[in-house]
């Protein structure tokens, strides 16, 4: 049998960062920040790889059209010319649903590559919102690429994300589509283009046969080596476009007989593609004057790359506390958001932290409700069942200290809880502030009041009053 050579390039969870940016790297001496990413440099890498092997697929796992000022302010429109110039073969979606599913479908109609999702259906119709897969003819092989979006869109996001749609369970949909690709479409090779997260993909691939390669997104894993699970090869490439993965496959009779894998850092030394660089500059040009305004300074690194706590979110929460006067504050544990190095803070930096700029909400919560909330959030992050991992990083918090045993059953992980410096009183009412409805479910607390002040308003106010900030780790969650 003749050997076929296929190369897959993966990009995932860019979160709108089409220009180069600061990125955190994990080093022996701690966190190090270097410039990385940028679509102009990614395009250079893609072109070089394609010159080595024309039988190359560029696949995008989603979380692309949301996450920065220019993406959210234009509902994804600003970066469409860039995306169409990259040579992408297929994508799936996640935060891209933020502007409503119907708007995402409109955006997809203007892309020159398909958005795929086998598990996203239109309400009241047995019809998918997007095509479940495409067939690519590559070097004489019929390659099926199936897309899989994440059910979190309908489980935990604001209602507009899932307006008019529902999502079927991934573990039910994947075997059905694999069967259709093999038996109806007679494909030689199957690629799962997934935004389910590495733990969920791993769990599914332990029992589902027929997927040859899983191109995984959502959980921002920087996989220096591919994972072999079942009969599949699983890859993932960090986030923000700071990394891409190159997977070179030797295929005989539809089976991988050898492969080479490389997680490539998109370093600042890589030459920029002139066309993409110009498109990125044109996308930002109308907004540069507003985004480049300096609003304050920081003495310390502000980053969001650790699970239990982050200096970036401590800055955000201290800003919220500053304008509301409430000592206990919560926000969602977002994984995206590029670091801010010591020095000046700009408006662009603030929007990279919270691009949706939600309004602050005040609520009264009993001590037992805060305990229930924290147990819920710990379970969403550290659930032993990957299908229950519906959060991001840990709930961000100030004004509390919880000593936790992660390995305990979900209702009993918190061994001791302090609120505002004192051991919590289950019947006491605490004044709480938070942003986004993900942070505190509606059934917890009472006397909710949505303020007119937004997260970015609060950070600007905090910076204006403080002049220069210095954030440290306060230890809201201590693992025993």
């Amino acid at each position: 049998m003749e050997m076929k050579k296929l190369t897959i390039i993966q990009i995932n969870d860019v979160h709108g960062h089409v220009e180069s940016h600061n990125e955190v790297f994990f080093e022996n001496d701690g966190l190090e920040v270097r410039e990385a990413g940028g679509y102009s440099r990614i395009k250079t890498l893609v072109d070089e790889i394609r010159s080595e092997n024309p039988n190359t697929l560029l696949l995008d796992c989603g979380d692309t059209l949301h996450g920065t000022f220019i993406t959210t302010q234009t509902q994804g429109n600003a970066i469409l010319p860039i995306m169409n110039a990259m040579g992408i073969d297929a994508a799936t979606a996640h935060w891209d649903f933020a502007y409503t599913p119907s708007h995402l479908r409109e955006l997809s109609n203007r892309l020159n590559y398909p958005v795929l999702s086998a598990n996203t259906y239109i309400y009241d119709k047995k019809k998918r919102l997007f095509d479940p897969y495409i067939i690519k003819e590559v070097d004489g092989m019929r390659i099926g690429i199936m897309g899989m979006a994440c059910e979190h869109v309908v489980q935990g996001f604001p209602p507009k994300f899932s307006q008019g749609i529902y999502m079927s369970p991934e573990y039910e949909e994947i075997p059905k589509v694999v069967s259709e690709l093999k038996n109806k479409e007679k494909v030689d090779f199957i690629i799962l283009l997934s935004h389910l997260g590495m733990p969920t993909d791993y769990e599914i691939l332990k029992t589902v046969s027929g997927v040859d390669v899983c191109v995984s997104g959502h959980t921002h894993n920087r996989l220096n080596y591919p994972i072999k699970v079942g009969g599949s090869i699983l890859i993932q490439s960090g986030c923000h476009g700071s990394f891409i993965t190159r997977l070179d496959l030797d295929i005989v009779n539809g089976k991988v007989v050898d492969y080479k894998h490389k997680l490539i850092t998109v370093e600042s030394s890589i030459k920029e593609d002139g066309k993409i660089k110009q498109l990125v500059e044109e996308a930002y040009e109308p907004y540069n004057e507003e985004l480049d305004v300096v609003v304050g300074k920081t003495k310390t690194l502000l980053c969001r790359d650790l699970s239990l706590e982050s200096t970036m979110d401590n800055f955000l929460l201290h800003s919220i506390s500053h304008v509301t006067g409430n000592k206990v504050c919560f926000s969602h544990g977002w994984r995206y958001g590029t670091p801010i190095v010591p020095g000046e803070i700009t408006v662009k930096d603030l929007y990279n932290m919270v691009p949706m700029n939600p309004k602050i909400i005040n609520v009264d919560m009993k001590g037992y409700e805060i305990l229930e909330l924290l147990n819920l959030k710990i379970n969403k992050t550290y659930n032993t069942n990957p299908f229950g991992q519906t959060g991001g990083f840990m709930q961000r918090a100030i004004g509390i200290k919880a000593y936790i045993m992660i390995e305990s059953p979900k209702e009993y992980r918190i061994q001791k809880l302090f609120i505002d410096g004192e051991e919590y009183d289950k019947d006491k009412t605490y004044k709480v502030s938070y942003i986004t409805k993900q942070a505190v479910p509606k059934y917890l607390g009472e006397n909710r009041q949505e303020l007119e002040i937004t997260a970015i308003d609060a950070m600007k106010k905090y910076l204006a009053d403080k002049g220069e900030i210095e954030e440290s780790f306060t230890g809201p969650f201590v693992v025993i």
Side-chain angles (χ1 to χ4, degrees), residues 165-367:
I165 65 166
Y166 68 95
M167 288 185 171
S168 60
E170 309 94 335
Y171 53 84
E172 293 180 2
E173 203 72 49
I174 291 173
K176 290 192 295 184
V177 179
V178 167
S179 177
E180 183 174 339
L181 285 169
K182 283 190 172 295
N183 300 316
K184 178 183 175 183
E185 302 290 353
K186 306 297 182 184
V187 301
D188 302 301
F189 199 83
I190 294 177
I191 299 170
L192 171 58
L193 180 56
S194 166
H195 200 94
L196 303 180
M198 188 271 277
T200 301
D201 287 324
Y202 184 90
E203 191 69 19
I204 290 172
L205 293 171
K206 286 197 301 185
T207 58
V208 173
S209 61
V211 174
D212 296 290
V213 173
C214 175
V215 183
S216 176
H218 183 52
T219 42
H220 298 194
N221 296 84
R222 304 176 187 181
L223 294 183
N224 288 290
Y225 304 95
I227 296 173
K228 288 295 297 287
V229 51
S232 305
I233 299 170
L234 186 155
I235 62 175
Q236 199 174 128
S237 309
C239 62
H240 301 142
S242 299
F243 309 89
I244 64 171
T245 290
R246 175 178 179 170
L247 183 65
D248 295 308
L249 303 165
D250 292 341
I251 302 170
V252 176
N253 197 26
K255 299 296 180 183
V256 175
V257 296
D258 197 10
Y259 62 87
K260 293 180 181 178
H261 171 278
K262 186 176 183 181
L263 180 68
I264 301 170
T265 302
V266 184
E267 297 176 340
S268 60
S269 59
I270 296 169
K271 184 180 179 181
E272 295 183 86
D273 177 88
K275 179 181 178 182
I276 300 298
K277 181 180 180 181
Q278 181 179 345
L279 289 173
V280 171
E281 290 173 351
E282 289 173 355
Y284 268 97
E285 195 279 328
Y287 311 104
N288 282 333
E289 185 175 353
E290 177 181 359
L291 294 178
D292 291 343
V293 172
V294 175
V295 289
K297 292 183 177 181
T298 176
K299 291 182 180 179
T300 49
L301 172 66
L302 305 178
C303 77
R304 190 177 264 165
D305 294 81
L306 300 177
S307 181
L308 289 175
E309 180 185 12
S310 84
T311 52
M312 177 176 284
D313 290 298
N314 284 348
F315 161 47
L316 170 61
L317 293 171
H318 284 139
S319 300
I320 293 170
S321 176
H322 182 69
V323 298
T324 66
N326 291 335
K327 300 293 181 62
V328 180
C329 299
F330 297 119
S331 71
H332 184 66
W334 293 294
R335 282 185 284 246
Y336 66 82
T338 51
I340 304 170
V341 296
E344 294 179 340
I345 300 173
T346 66
V347 171
K348 180 190 287 185
D349 292 325
L350 302 184
Y351 275 98
N352 286 346
M353 291 171 56
V354 278
M356 69 294 292
N357 192 21
K359 292 180 178 179
I360 296 170
I361 301 171
N362 287 338
V363 65
D364 296 337
M365 297 184 72
K366 296 289 189 181

Side-chain angles (χ1 to χ4, degrees), residues 152 218 332-333 335 377 379-381 388-394:
H152 302 175
H218 183 52
H332 184 66
R335 282 185 284 246
K377 295 299 184 176
N379 192 55
K380 283 178 174 288
T381 297
Q389 294 174 6
T390 57
F393 285 147
M394 262 302 299

Side-chain angles (χ1 to χ4, degrees), residues 59-74:
L59 302 176
D60 180 350
C61 290
D63 269 354
T64 303
L65 304 173
H66 180 282
T68 57
F69 180 89
I70 66 166
T71 51
T72 54
Q73 293 296 308
T74 68

